mmCIF file of all heavy atoms in Angstrom:
data_model
loop_
_atom_site.group_PDB
_atom_site.id
_atom_site.type_symbol
_atom_site.label_atom_id
_atom_site.label_comp_id
_atom_site.label_asym_id
_atom_site.label_seq_id
_atom_site.Cartn_x
_atom_site.Cartn_y
_atom_site.Cartn_z
ATOM 1 N N SER A 12 93.799 107.589 125.871
ATOM 2 C CA SER A 12 92.958 108.619 125.251
ATOM 3 C C SER A 12 93.761 109.609 124.430
ATOM 4 O O SER A 12 93.333 110.022 123.353
ATOM 5 C CB SER A 12 92.169 109.370 126.325
ATOM 6 O OG SER A 12 91.256 108.501 126.946
ATOM 7 N N GLY A 13 94.909 110.003 124.918
ATOM 8 C CA GLY A 13 95.732 110.972 124.212
ATOM 9 C C GLY A 13 96.291 110.464 122.896
ATOM 10 O O GLY A 13 96.765 111.246 122.076
ATOM 11 N N HIS A 14 96.250 109.155 122.697
ATOM 12 C CA HIS A 14 96.713 108.564 121.445
ATOM 13 C C HIS A 14 95.544 108.211 120.529
ATOM 14 O O HIS A 14 95.628 108.395 119.314
ATOM 15 C CB HIS A 14 97.539 107.298 121.721
ATOM 16 C CG HIS A 14 98.822 107.580 122.410
ATOM 17 N ND1 HIS A 14 100.014 107.662 121.743
ATOM 18 C CD2 HIS A 14 99.109 107.809 123.717
ATOM 19 C CE1 HIS A 14 100.986 107.926 122.602
ATOM 20 N NE2 HIS A 14 100.457 108.021 123.806
ATOM 21 N N VAL A 15 94.474 107.709 121.118
ATOM 22 C CA VAL A 15 93.336 107.243 120.327
ATOM 23 C C VAL A 15 92.432 108.402 119.902
ATOM 24 O O VAL A 15 92.066 108.505 118.721
ATOM 25 C CB VAL A 15 92.515 106.181 121.096
ATOM 26 C CG1 VAL A 15 91.283 105.775 120.313
ATOM 27 C CG2 VAL A 15 93.384 104.962 121.401
ATOM 28 N N ASN A 16 92.068 109.262 120.812
ATOM 29 C CA ASN A 16 91.120 110.334 120.497
ATOM 30 C C ASN A 16 91.565 111.238 119.345
ATOM 31 O O ASN A 16 90.748 111.558 118.476
ATOM 32 C CB ASN A 16 90.811 111.174 121.744
ATOM 33 C CG ASN A 16 90.003 110.396 122.758
ATOM 34 O OD1 ASN A 16 89.359 109.411 122.438
ATOM 35 N ND2 ASN A 16 90.055 110.835 124.010
ATOM 36 N N PRO A 17 92.837 111.661 119.288
ATOM 37 C CA PRO A 17 93.243 112.513 118.166
ATOM 38 C C PRO A 17 93.186 111.811 116.809
ATOM 39 O O PRO A 17 93.150 112.466 115.771
ATOM 40 C CB PRO A 17 94.688 112.898 118.505
ATOM 41 C CG PRO A 17 94.796 112.728 119.978
ATOM 42 C CD PRO A 17 93.895 111.560 120.293
ATOM 43 N N SER A 18 93.171 110.491 116.810
ATOM 44 C CA SER A 18 93.133 109.757 115.544
ATOM 45 C C SER A 18 91.720 109.687 114.954
ATOM 46 O O SER A 18 91.558 109.407 113.764
ATOM 47 C CB SER A 18 93.672 108.342 115.732
ATOM 48 O OG SER A 18 92.795 107.577 116.534
ATOM 49 N N ALA A 19 90.705 109.936 115.751
ATOM 50 C CA ALA A 19 89.324 109.789 115.296
ATOM 51 C C ALA A 19 89.008 110.632 114.057
ATOM 52 O O ALA A 19 88.435 110.109 113.096
ATOM 53 C CB ALA A 19 88.349 110.097 116.431
ATOM 54 N N PRO A 20 89.376 111.924 114.015
ATOM 55 C CA PRO A 20 89.077 112.701 112.800
ATOM 56 C C PRO A 20 89.793 112.160 111.562
ATOM 57 O O PRO A 20 89.224 112.161 110.464
ATOM 58 C CB PRO A 20 89.560 114.115 113.143
ATOM 59 C CG PRO A 20 89.564 114.168 114.635
ATOM 60 C CD PRO A 20 89.909 112.773 115.083
ATOM 61 N N LEU A 21 91.009 111.690 111.728
ATOM 62 C CA LEU A 21 91.753 111.126 110.600
ATOM 63 C C LEU A 21 91.071 109.859 110.085
ATOM 64 O O LEU A 21 90.861 109.702 108.875
ATOM 65 C CB LEU A 21 93.190 110.809 111.020
ATOM 66 C CG LEU A 21 94.025 110.031 110.011
ATOM 67 C CD1 LEU A 21 94.190 110.826 108.728
ATOM 68 C CD2 LEU A 21 95.366 109.671 110.615
ATOM 69 N N VAL A 22 90.705 108.979 110.998
ATOM 70 C CA VAL A 22 90.031 107.734 110.609
ATOM 71 C C VAL A 22 88.697 108.047 109.940
ATOM 72 O O VAL A 22 88.361 107.472 108.898
ATOM 73 C CB VAL A 22 89.843 106.803 111.826
ATOM 74 C CG1 VAL A 22 88.974 105.611 111.481
ATOM 75 C CG2 VAL A 22 91.200 106.346 112.349
ATOM 76 N N ARG A 23 87.944 108.977 110.494
ATOM 77 C CA ARG A 23 86.655 109.368 109.911
ATOM 78 C C ARG A 23 86.849 109.871 108.474
ATOM 79 O O ARG A 23 86.104 109.512 107.572
ATOM 80 C CB ARG A 23 85.985 110.448 110.760
ATOM 81 C CG ARG A 23 84.625 110.872 110.228
ATOM 82 C CD ARG A 23 83.982 111.989 111.041
ATOM 83 N NE ARG A 23 83.684 111.544 112.395
ATOM 84 C CZ ARG A 23 84.239 112.067 113.499
ATOM 85 N NH1 ARG A 23 85.118 113.044 113.419
ATOM 86 N NH2 ARG A 23 83.908 111.619 114.687
ATOM 87 N N GLU A 24 87.857 110.705 108.275
ATOM 88 C CA GLU A 24 88.106 111.257 106.943
ATOM 89 C C GLU A 24 88.556 110.176 105.959
ATOM 90 O O GLU A 24 88.147 110.179 104.796
ATOM 91 C CB GLU A 24 89.152 112.380 107.014
ATOM 92 C CG GLU A 24 89.460 113.026 105.689
ATOM 93 C CD GLU A 24 88.276 113.728 105.022
ATOM 94 O OE1 GLU A 24 87.262 114.030 105.696
ATOM 95 O OE2 GLU A 24 88.369 113.983 103.797
ATOM 96 N N LEU A 25 89.388 109.256 106.395
ATOM 97 C CA LEU A 25 89.808 108.164 105.511
ATOM 98 C C LEU A 25 88.597 107.341 105.067
ATOM 99 O O LEU A 25 88.477 106.988 103.885
ATOM 100 C CB LEU A 25 90.831 107.275 106.220
ATOM 101 C CG LEU A 25 92.218 107.881 106.409
ATOM 102 C CD1 LEU A 25 93.036 107.036 107.369
ATOM 103 C CD2 LEU A 25 92.925 108.043 105.076
ATOM 104 N N ILE A 26 87.702 107.069 105.998
ATOM 105 C CA ILE A 26 86.493 106.303 105.666
ATOM 106 C C ILE A 26 85.606 107.106 104.719
ATOM 107 O O ILE A 26 85.074 106.567 103.750
ATOM 108 C CB ILE A 26 85.751 105.887 106.956
ATOM 109 C CG1 ILE A 26 86.602 104.857 107.707
ATOM 110 C CG2 ILE A 26 84.369 105.349 106.641
ATOM 111 C CD1 ILE A 26 86.139 104.571 109.111
ATOM 112 N N ARG A 27 85.478 108.404 104.972
ATOM 113 C CA ARG A 27 84.680 109.257 104.091
ATOM 114 C C ARG A 27 85.225 109.231 102.664
ATOM 115 O O ARG A 27 84.471 109.276 101.696
ATOM 116 C CB ARG A 27 84.671 110.692 104.616
ATOM 117 C CG ARG A 27 83.713 111.607 103.856
ATOM 118 C CD ARG A 27 83.883 113.059 104.229
ATOM 119 N NE ARG A 27 85.110 113.633 103.723
ATOM 120 C CZ ARG A 27 85.342 113.990 102.453
ATOM 121 N NH1 ARG A 27 84.412 113.825 101.547
ATOM 122 N NH2 ARG A 27 86.494 114.524 102.091
ATOM 123 N N ARG A 28 86.543 109.110 102.555
ATOM 124 C CA ARG A 28 87.175 109.077 101.227
ATOM 125 C C ARG A 28 87.160 107.692 100.593
ATOM 126 O O ARG A 28 87.718 107.496 99.530
ATOM 127 C CB ARG A 28 88.605 109.584 101.325
ATOM 128 C CG ARG A 28 88.682 111.057 101.645
ATOM 129 C CD ARG A 28 90.091 111.552 101.642
ATOM 130 N NE ARG A 28 90.138 112.945 102.043
ATOM 131 C CZ ARG A 28 91.133 113.752 101.743
ATOM 132 N NH1 ARG A 28 92.170 113.320 101.046
ATOM 133 N NH2 ARG A 28 91.114 114.997 102.153
ATOM 134 N N GLY A 29 86.538 106.734 101.279
ATOM 135 C CA GLY A 29 86.354 105.424 100.680
ATOM 136 C C GLY A 29 87.326 104.346 101.104
ATOM 137 O O GLY A 29 87.298 103.234 100.575
ATOM 138 N N PHE A 30 88.192 104.638 102.063
ATOM 139 C CA PHE A 30 89.111 103.625 102.557
ATOM 140 C C PHE A 30 88.409 102.722 103.559
ATOM 141 O O PHE A 30 87.509 103.155 104.287
ATOM 142 C CB PHE A 30 90.328 104.272 103.234
ATOM 143 C CG PHE A 30 91.228 105.005 102.289
ATOM 144 C CD1 PHE A 30 91.047 106.355 102.053
ATOM 145 C CD2 PHE A 30 92.243 104.345 101.627
ATOM 146 C CE1 PHE A 30 91.866 107.045 101.184
ATOM 147 C CE2 PHE A 30 93.080 105.021 100.752
ATOM 148 C CZ PHE A 30 92.884 106.373 100.524
ATOM 149 N N ASP A 31 88.816 101.488 103.614
ATOM 150 C CA ASP A 31 88.331 100.525 104.593
ATOM 151 C C ASP A 31 89.335 100.546 105.735
ATOM 152 O O ASP A 31 90.499 100.183 105.538
ATOM 153 C CB ASP A 31 88.257 99.144 103.937
ATOM 154 C CG ASP A 31 87.695 98.086 104.848
ATOM 155 O OD1 ASP A 31 87.016 98.440 105.830
ATOM 156 O OD2 ASP A 31 87.936 96.901 104.575
ATOM 157 N N VAL A 32 88.930 101.004 106.913
ATOM 158 C CA VAL A 32 89.859 101.158 108.036
ATOM 159 C C VAL A 32 89.584 100.115 109.109
ATOM 160 O O VAL A 32 88.473 99.982 109.608
ATOM 161 C CB VAL A 32 89.775 102.575 108.649
ATOM 162 C CG1 VAL A 32 90.737 102.713 109.828
ATOM 163 C CG2 VAL A 32 90.063 103.632 107.595
ATOM 164 N N GLU A 33 90.630 99.390 109.455
ATOM 165 C CA GLU A 33 90.603 98.415 110.547
ATOM 166 C C GLU A 33 91.373 99.053 111.698
ATOM 167 O O GLU A 33 92.548 99.379 111.562
ATOM 168 C CB GLU A 33 91.293 97.131 110.088
ATOM 169 C CG GLU A 33 91.206 96.009 111.064
ATOM 170 C CD GLU A 33 91.796 94.742 110.463
ATOM 171 O OE1 GLU A 33 91.241 94.216 109.479
ATOM 172 O OE2 GLU A 33 92.837 94.315 110.988
ATOM 173 N N PHE A 34 90.703 99.254 112.820
ATOM 174 C CA PHE A 34 91.278 99.966 113.961
ATOM 175 C C PHE A 34 91.570 98.968 115.075
ATOM 176 O O PHE A 34 90.677 98.322 115.593
ATOM 177 C CB PHE A 34 90.286 101.026 114.447
ATOM 178 C CG PHE A 34 90.885 102.072 115.320
ATOM 179 C CD1 PHE A 34 91.096 103.351 114.834
ATOM 180 C CD2 PHE A 34 91.231 101.804 116.621
ATOM 181 C CE1 PHE A 34 91.635 104.332 115.631
ATOM 182 C CE2 PHE A 34 91.783 102.765 117.434
ATOM 183 C CZ PHE A 34 91.983 104.045 116.933
ATOM 184 N N HIS A 35 92.826 98.860 115.461
ATOM 185 C CA HIS A 35 93.236 97.964 116.544
ATOM 186 C C HIS A 35 93.422 98.788 117.817
ATOM 187 O O HIS A 35 94.195 99.746 117.844
ATOM 188 C CB HIS A 35 94.552 97.262 116.189
ATOM 189 C CG HIS A 35 94.411 96.296 115.066
ATOM 190 N ND1 HIS A 35 94.521 94.940 115.247
ATOM 191 C CD2 HIS A 35 94.141 96.482 113.753
ATOM 192 C CE1 HIS A 35 94.339 94.339 114.089
ATOM 193 N NE2 HIS A 35 94.103 95.259 113.162
ATOM 194 N N ALA A 36 92.683 98.414 118.852
ATOM 195 C CA ALA A 36 92.744 99.100 120.146
ATOM 196 C C ALA A 36 92.133 98.184 121.208
ATOM 197 O O ALA A 36 91.667 97.097 120.900
ATOM 198 C CB ALA A 36 91.981 100.416 120.095
ATOM 199 N N THR A 37 92.118 98.638 122.442
ATOM 200 C CA THR A 37 91.477 97.857 123.498
ATOM 201 C C THR A 37 89.968 98.066 123.439
ATOM 202 O O THR A 37 89.473 98.999 122.805
ATOM 203 C CB THR A 37 92.005 98.278 124.886
ATOM 204 O OG1 THR A 37 91.811 99.684 125.050
ATOM 205 C CG2 THR A 37 93.483 97.942 125.046
ATOM 206 N N GLU A 38 89.236 97.190 124.107
ATOM 207 C CA GLU A 38 87.763 97.275 124.129
ATOM 208 C C GLU A 38 87.273 98.630 124.627
ATOM 209 O O GLU A 38 86.225 99.103 124.217
ATOM 210 C CB GLU A 38 87.168 96.159 124.993
ATOM 211 C CG GLU A 38 87.187 94.796 124.340
ATOM 212 C CD GLU A 38 86.265 94.699 123.124
ATOM 213 O OE1 GLU A 38 85.288 95.465 123.003
ATOM 214 O OE2 GLU A 38 86.547 93.837 122.277
ATOM 215 N N GLU A 39 88.043 99.255 125.485
ATOM 216 C CA GLU A 39 87.676 100.567 126.027
ATOM 217 C C GLU A 39 87.408 101.584 124.912
ATOM 218 O O GLU A 39 86.559 102.465 125.049
ATOM 219 C CB GLU A 39 88.820 101.061 126.922
ATOM 220 C CG GLU A 39 88.657 102.453 127.457
ATOM 221 C CD GLU A 39 89.844 102.906 128.279
ATOM 222 O OE1 GLU A 39 90.852 102.179 128.379
ATOM 223 O OE2 GLU A 39 89.748 104.020 128.820
ATOM 224 N N PHE A 40 88.122 101.448 123.799
ATOM 225 C CA PHE A 40 88.010 102.423 122.717
ATOM 226 C C PHE A 40 87.149 101.943 121.554
ATOM 227 O O PHE A 40 87.037 102.622 120.533
ATOM 228 C CB PHE A 40 89.401 102.834 122.239
ATOM 229 C CG PHE A 40 90.182 103.524 123.320
ATOM 230 C CD1 PHE A 40 91.175 102.850 124.007
ATOM 231 C CD2 PHE A 40 89.892 104.825 123.681
ATOM 232 C CE1 PHE A 40 91.879 103.462 125.027
ATOM 233 C CE2 PHE A 40 90.585 105.454 124.702
ATOM 234 C CZ PHE A 40 91.586 104.778 125.383
ATOM 235 N N ARG A 41 86.506 100.802 121.718
ATOM 236 C CA ARG A 41 85.626 100.285 120.675
ATOM 237 C C ARG A 41 84.515 101.282 120.304
ATOM 238 O O ARG A 41 84.292 101.541 119.126
ATOM 239 C CB ARG A 41 85.005 98.945 121.086
ATOM 240 C CG ARG A 41 84.040 98.388 120.044
ATOM 241 C CD ARG A 41 83.430 97.070 120.476
ATOM 242 N NE ARG A 41 84.391 95.994 120.468
ATOM 243 C CZ ARG A 41 84.736 95.286 119.392
ATOM 244 N NH1 ARG A 41 84.192 95.559 118.219
ATOM 245 N NH2 ARG A 41 85.614 94.322 119.475
ATOM 246 N N PRO A 42 83.814 101.874 121.289
ATOM 247 C CA PRO A 42 82.736 102.804 120.923
ATOM 248 C C PRO A 42 83.227 103.974 120.065
ATOM 249 O O PRO A 42 82.561 104.363 119.101
ATOM 250 C CB PRO A 42 82.200 103.298 122.269
ATOM 251 C CG PRO A 42 82.540 102.208 123.229
ATOM 252 C CD PRO A 42 83.865 101.666 122.751
ATOM 253 N N LEU A 43 84.390 104.506 120.375
ATOM 254 C CA LEU A 43 84.917 105.624 119.591
ATOM 255 C C LEU A 43 85.244 105.171 118.171
ATOM 256 O O LEU A 43 84.847 105.821 117.200
ATOM 257 C CB LEU A 43 86.176 106.193 120.243
ATOM 258 C CG LEU A 43 86.899 107.264 119.432
ATOM 259 C CD1 LEU A 43 86.037 108.512 119.298
ATOM 260 C CD2 LEU A 43 88.231 107.589 120.034
ATOM 261 N N ALA A 44 85.952 104.065 118.043
ATOM 262 C CA ALA A 44 86.337 103.574 116.714
ATOM 263 C C ALA A 44 85.107 103.240 115.873
ATOM 264 O O ALA A 44 85.054 103.566 114.688
ATOM 265 C CB ALA A 44 87.246 102.363 116.851
ATOM 266 N N GLU A 45 84.125 102.609 116.483
ATOM 267 C CA GLU A 45 82.905 102.278 115.742
ATOM 268 C C GLU A 45 82.113 103.534 115.377
ATOM 269 O O GLU A 45 81.492 103.582 114.316
ATOM 270 C CB GLU A 45 82.042 101.307 116.543
ATOM 271 C CG GLU A 45 82.636 99.908 116.609
ATOM 272 C CD GLU A 45 81.811 98.937 117.421
ATOM 273 O OE1 GLU A 45 80.963 99.381 118.240
ATOM 274 O OE2 GLU A 45 82.028 97.721 117.257
ATOM 275 N N SER A 46 82.162 104.546 116.234
ATOM 276 C CA SER A 46 81.398 105.769 115.958
ATOM 277 C C SER A 46 81.903 106.512 114.728
ATOM 278 O O SER A 46 81.152 107.260 114.109
ATOM 279 C CB SER A 46 81.402 106.702 117.171
ATOM 280 O OG SER A 46 82.655 107.365 117.295
ATOM 281 N N VAL A 47 83.168 106.312 114.371
ATOM 282 C CA VAL A 47 83.701 106.962 113.172
ATOM 283 C C VAL A 47 83.640 106.029 111.963
ATOM 284 O O VAL A 47 84.058 106.395 110.872
ATOM 285 C CB VAL A 47 85.133 107.507 113.384
ATOM 286 C CG1 VAL A 47 85.137 108.583 114.454
ATOM 287 C CG2 VAL A 47 86.118 106.404 113.697
ATOM 288 N N GLY A 48 83.124 104.812 112.172
ATOM 289 C CA GLY A 48 82.914 103.888 111.066
ATOM 290 C C GLY A 48 83.981 102.852 110.844
ATOM 291 O O GLY A 48 83.953 102.137 109.844
ATOM 292 N N ALA A 49 84.941 102.744 111.749
ATOM 293 C CA ALA A 49 86.031 101.780 111.584
ATOM 294 C C ALA A 49 85.601 100.384 112.016
ATOM 295 O O ALA A 49 84.723 100.216 112.874
ATOM 296 C CB ALA A 49 87.246 102.206 112.396
ATOM 297 N N GLU A 50 86.234 99.400 111.426
ATOM 298 C CA GLU A 50 86.070 98.015 111.861
ATOM 299 C C GLU A 50 87.060 97.812 113.006
ATOM 300 O O GLU A 50 88.243 98.124 112.876
ATOM 301 C CB GLU A 50 86.420 97.085 110.702
ATOM 302 C CG GLU A 50 86.293 95.629 111.027
ATOM 303 C CD GLU A 50 86.663 94.752 109.836
ATOM 304 O OE1 GLU A 50 86.678 95.244 108.696
ATOM 305 O OE2 GLU A 50 86.947 93.577 110.080
#
Side-chain angles (χ1 to χ4, degrees):
S12 294
H14 293 261
V15 176
N16 291 340
S18 68
L21 171 62
V22 172
R23 181 182 296 117
E24 181 62 18
L25 288 168
I26 292 168
R27 187 190 72 76
R28 292 184 184 202
F30 292 92
D31 183 20
V32 179
E33 186 174 295
F34 197 106
H35 292 249
T37 56
E38 285 293 336
E39 175 183 4
F40 297 103
R41 178 180 290 277
L43 174 66
E45 288 179 341
S46 76
V47 297
E50 180 180 342

